[in-house]
Amino acid sequence: MADPVTLRDTGTERANHPAGAFVGRCVDVIDLQHTVDQFPGQPAYLVQKVVLVFAAEEFDEKGQLITVHREYTLSGGKKAALRRHLESWRGKPYTDDEIKQKGIPLDKLAAVPVTFNVIHKTSAKGNVYAYIDTLSPVPKGSTAPHVLGYERAPFWVKRKEEYAKVAAAFLAQHQQDDPGHDGSDDIPLDEEMPF
């Protein structure tokens, strides 16, 4: 006997943020914890990921706030995309003392005004998605809207769970390869950042 299941449009599909430059705010900072990353031809390694979510006053046809996000590796290295974007946003580079000694409390970015530039890219599967290309300060004389109506999407919980599974499998494999090693020092926690 088959289970009674009915397919319906639940309206959970979200609209892409329009392309262009927008004055808005960072509306969320999400710590996704650890996952595995790998550059072509290089060994896999554990990294911590963080997501910055931005919004202006853009709404879909149902009146829902449209957001755009960018996932970053949590790294304060000089070539790291997160550091470059934060420096661009604040309008000046971080000093060694700011990065190495104090750290950058990313959670304090929530509600901070920003100008973000969105471009549309096409994935390998042919899906078009919005991508944060650059961040910069709000131009003098401009004001950022007070963005209302943001709620963290449930898929972030799912992504965090997926990443945790991948990281656990990676650590388990490394323990299996080296049984005397517990893997605890394999996680490259970036001491430059305050998580």
Side-chain angles (χ1 to χ4, degrees):
M1 179 92 185
D3 291 335
V5 179
T6 303
L7 174 65
R8 287 192 175 84
D9 180 359
T10 60
T12 57
E13 190 171 311
R14 300 184 67 98
N16 270 335
H17 196 285
F22 297 87
V23 174
R25 294 184 186 267
C26 177
V27 293
D28 204 357
V29 178
I30 305 167
D31 181 4
L32 294 177
Q33 299 296 318
H34 292 90
T35 191
V36 176
D37 220 345
Q38 185 172 19
F39 288 106
Q42 300 292 322
Y45 56 97
L46 279 177
V47 294
Q48 188 170 355
K49 295 287 188 172
V50 64
V51 175
L52 301 182
V53 183
F54 301 92
E57 291 184 312
E58 298 292 323
F59 298 89
D60 66 14
E61 62 277 349
K62 296 177 184 175
Q64 292 183 326
L65 181 69
I66 300 174
T67 62
V68 62
H69 67 273
R70 175 122 179 215
E71 184 175 312
Y72 298 92
T73 296
L74 186 64
S75 173
K78 290 185 179 184
K79 294 182 180 180
L82 178 58
R83 179 173 176 172
R84 286 185 287 117
H85 274 188
L86 293 178
E87 288 176 338
S88 175
W89 182 358
R90 74 190 292 237
K92 63 181 181 178
Y94 289 109
T95 65
D96 287 342
D97 181 56
E98 287 172 312
I99 288 288
K100 292 182 180 175
Q101 304 302 319
K102 297 176 185 174
I104 311 303
L106 298 181
D107 54 288
K108 296 191 188 246
L109 295 174
V112 173
V114 63
T115 300
F116 56 93
N117 189 52
V118 177
I119 60 175
H120 286 174
K121 290 189 166 191
T122 304
S123 71
K125 294 181 179 179
N127 298 321
V128 175
Y129 62 96
Y131 179 80
I132 296 279
D133 186 44
T134 59
L135 302 175
S136 57
V138 173
K140 290 182 180 178
S142 298
T143 57
H146 290 284
V147 180
L148 303 174
Y150 172 75
E151 290 182 30
R152 185 179 287 181
F155 70 81
W156 291 117
V157 172
K158 185 176 179 182
R159 172 142 328 148
K160 193 173 190 175
E161 290 169 354
E162 289 169 359
Y163 281 5
K165 287 178 187 175
V166 169
F170 179 81
L171 288 173
Q173 181 62 44
H174 274 63
Q175 276 186 304
Q176 189 177 23
D177 293 346
D178 185 3
H181 184 71
D182 70 0
S184 61
D185 61 352
D186 289 345
I187 301 174
L189 291 176
D190 191 338
E191 293 178 8
E192 298 167 353
M193 301 301 258
F195 275 93

